[in-house]
Amino acid sequence: MLVPRQCGFSAVFSFALHTKLISVRLSEQGYYFSRKCAILEGMDNDNWLETLAQEGAYARDDTAFDTAGYHKILCPEFPDFLFDFVGLPLLQRLQGIGLLCGTDWTPLFHNRFYYSRLNHSVGTALIVWNFTHDRAQTVAALLHDVSSPTFSHVTDFRNGDALTQESTEALNIRMLADSEELLTLLEAHALDFDAVADYHMYSVADTAVPGLCADRLEYMYPSGAALNGIWSMDAIAANYAQVMLMKNKAGQLELGFRSEAAALEYTKKFCATSLILQRNEDKIAMQLMADVLSRAVECGFAKEDDFYTVSEQLLINRFDGFAEDDADPAFTRLYRTFRSMTAIEHTEEPLADAYCVSLNVKQRYVNPLVRIASGQAKRLSAISPEADECIKAFLAYKDSTCGCVRWQH
């Protein structure tokens, strides 16, 4: 991409943070997602992964995704001590950051509802509490995403880290340590900072791929519901009811499934949703927004600190204004393309007069444990040829070399 050395407009603006504080006790508002859960049976066996990924991709209805209801599925009783932590400013700002990495703001995607990083953090904590009733592990899970900037993993693309998407994680402990409110609250609850600062210590909260942990389990239910309508609330409840704690070969606690059928359903839907994130549409959306943010900083339309203090909505409002004024032509072209693109071209070579990407990105998949008749835990792929095929098909998937979208001027 050609970037002019000088910006057409260089004034720096400062905006106050106005993200709405949402009480978990009152979070009864619904969001929108489409269609009933996709039926797994009766699909073309050769194309089921593509079918599930595309199923209902442009369908919408007025069925509300009840975030509070979903969280109640994950843990029927919300633990009282968690309310104090959810109210911390460093967590409340996550309400203004979407789980789906900026794709809420482009018509290239048709996300059915907005699900925030705060929603995800609370959901992850509730899963941990449901299965462990351990306060330190639960708080660690709640705090695991405090370093997420606006548009989430878009910043990893800015940092050249599309493959692991972990470039902001090092900030997490530092941000926690700098929060006087958190330190005071930990003392009041008799919790040690080191016990909650790094959720990677707890295998129920986080574990290596392809294992299943609270973080991974939680984000794929709403992601699948939002991106392709693959999970209904009833389907989530039925599937989650089959989740249990097990021990893996290393002797670590890990989430798994009581039944092969539930594990297969989750794995197939996980792979289908992850396939969307492997496509060039997602790569373009994230890299293009990454370039929008970088250009905005170069032009003084935003500061790096804004990505940790200002909500996505406020940044979008600000950027809309700069694009409308055409304050910097390079920024305007990037931003208008992001905000108006509805389709891309899949090519083997970059196209002229187009924004093109060619990237390898993180592969998200699971191969969960399943309890077998003997009471032992086995990886799903070891007992299910269908699951083995599903995982291999996902890992082998390659989109075209390039994804391109025509510039919007």
Side-chain angles (χ1 to χ4, degrees):
M1 181 187 70
L2 296 176
V3 180
R5 291 180 178 273
Q6 300 296 324
C7 295
F9 189 79
S10 60
V12 178
F13 289 79
S14 176
F15 285 74
L17 176 63
H18 296 297
T19 51
K20 186 177 181 182
L21 302 185
I22 307 296
S23 169
V24 176
R25 293 184 190 271
L26 301 176
S27 61
E28 300 297 331
Q29 92 183 85
Y31 300 102
Y32 292 97
F33 79 108
S34 80
R35 71 180 298 281
K36 298 178 181 178
C37 174
I39 299 173
L40 295 177
E41 294 79 8
M43 291 184 176
D44 182 343
N45 288 334
D46 293 331
N47 298 307
W48 69 266
L49 189 60
E50 285 283 344
T51 302
L52 279 180
Q54 295 177 11
E55 187 71 31
Y58 301 101
R60 294 177 184 273
D61 65 27
D62 292 330
T63 305
F65 186 88
D66 179 4
T67 301
Y70 165 60
H71 284 168
K72 195 164 187 177
I73 291 170
L74 302 181
C75 187
E77 296 295 330
F78 198 104
D80 285 341
F81 75 90
L82 208 55
F83 284 114
D84 293 337
F85 289 94
V86 171
L88 290 169
L90 82 171
L91 275 163
Q92 283 294 324
R93 79 170 189 90
L94 299 181
Q95 185 64 21
I97 300 172
L99 179 67
L100 297 177
C101 303
T103 58
D104 295 304
W105 305 104
T106 174
L108 183 62
F109 280 73
H110 302 267
N111 299 347
R112 288 152 178 78
F113 58 90
Y114 176 80
Y115 193 80
S116 73
R117 283 280 157 183
L118 178 60
N119 296 148
H120 165 62
S121 297
V122 170
T124 304
L126 290 174
I127 292 173
V128 172
W129 178 253
N130 187 63
F131 288 103
T132 70
H133 276 73
D134 184 291
R135 291 192 176 207
Q137 292 190 49
T138 301
V139 173
L142 180 69
L143 299 172
H144 81 277
D145 259 352
V146 298
S147 62
S148 291
T150 47
F151 310 108
S152 297
H153 290 296
V154 163
T155 290
D156 293 317
F157 281 66
R158 288 186 71 204
N159 295 337
D161 183 32
L163 201 55
T164 67
Q165 299 182 24
E166 297 174 349
S167 67
T168 65
E169 288 189 6
L171 292 173
N172 222 70
I173 294 178
R174 189 191 319 165
M175 291 179 68
L176 296 178
D178 288 344
S179 172
E180 291 296 333
E181 297 97 334
L182 172 62
L183 298 178
T184 299
L185 199 53
L186 289 174
E187 184 176 359
H189 285 271
L191 289 170
D192 186 72
F193 177 81
D194 290 337
V196 304
D198 185 4
Y199 89 133
H200 298 297
M201 298 188 301
Y202 304 116
S203 59
V204 175
D206 180 65
T207 195
V209 171
L212 186 63
C213 58
D215 184 13
R216 208 162 289 135
L217 176 65
E218 198 287 330
Y219 71 64
M220 264 308 168
Y221 285 137
S223 293
L227 285 168
N228 57 354
I230 208 166
W231 287 107
S232 70
M233 200 69 72
D234 288 343
I236 291 171
N239 187 263
Y240 184 72
Q242 295 296 311
V243 176
M244 63 179 293
L245 271 186
M246 301 179 182
K247 281 192 176 181
N248 58 29
K249 282 187 176 180
Q252 295 176 320
L253 289 173
E254 184 178 321
L255 296 176
F257 289 91
R258 302 175 193 277
S259 73
E260 180 181 335
L264 181 60
E265 178 191 30
Y266 185 81
T267 300
K268 291 179 73 171
K269 290 181 177 182
F270 195 112
C271 287
T273 303
S274 288
L275 188 69
I276 297 170
L277 309 181
Q278 290 295 306
R279 289 187 176 140
N280 283 334
E281 282 83 355
D282 193 67
K283 296 174 185 179
I284 278 184
M286 293 186 70
Q287 188 60 59
L288 182 51
M289 176 50 81
D291 290 342
V292 166
L293 298 184
S294 293
R295 187 64 185 172
V297 171
E298 291 173 9
C299 293
F301 301 164
K303 299 178 290 186
E304 294 291 350
D305 286 351
D306 289 342
F307 307 140
Y308 290 91
T309 58
V310 179
S311 71
E312 290 178 2
Q313 179 68 73
L314 285 178
L315 282 175
I316 290 293
N317 291 347
R318 189 194 306 184
F319 293 165
D320 282 347
F322 286 124
E324 180 69 23
D325 294 340
D326 199 15
D328 174 67
F331 172 84
T332 299
R333 184 170 74 160
L334 287 165
Y335 186 69
R336 283 182 176 169
T337 301
F338 177 84
R339 292 283 277 160
S340 60
M341 60 183 177
T342 57
I344 71 166
E345 297 178 57
H346 297 254
T347 67
E348 294 306 313
E349 299 289 340
L351 300 178
D353 195 31
Y355 179 91
C356 298
V357 300
S358 181
L359 290 169
N360 292 319
V361 298
K362 183 176 182 177
Q363 291 181 308
R364 293 177 169 87
Y365 73 102
V366 290
N367 186 8
L369 294 173
V370 181
R371 185 177 65 180
I372 59 176
S374 66
Q376 293 180 308
K378 295 283 187 182
R379 292 288 169 198
L380 178 62
S381 64
I383 62 174
S384 169
E386 188 175 1
D388 187 53
E389 179 185 350
C390 157
I391 294 167
K392 287 178 178 176
F394 170 74
L395 292 175
Y397 175 80
K398 298 289 183 186
D399 204 334
S400 60
T401 302
C402 296
C404 298
V405 59
R406 299 293 177 175
W407 287 113
Q408 301 296 311
H409 299 281

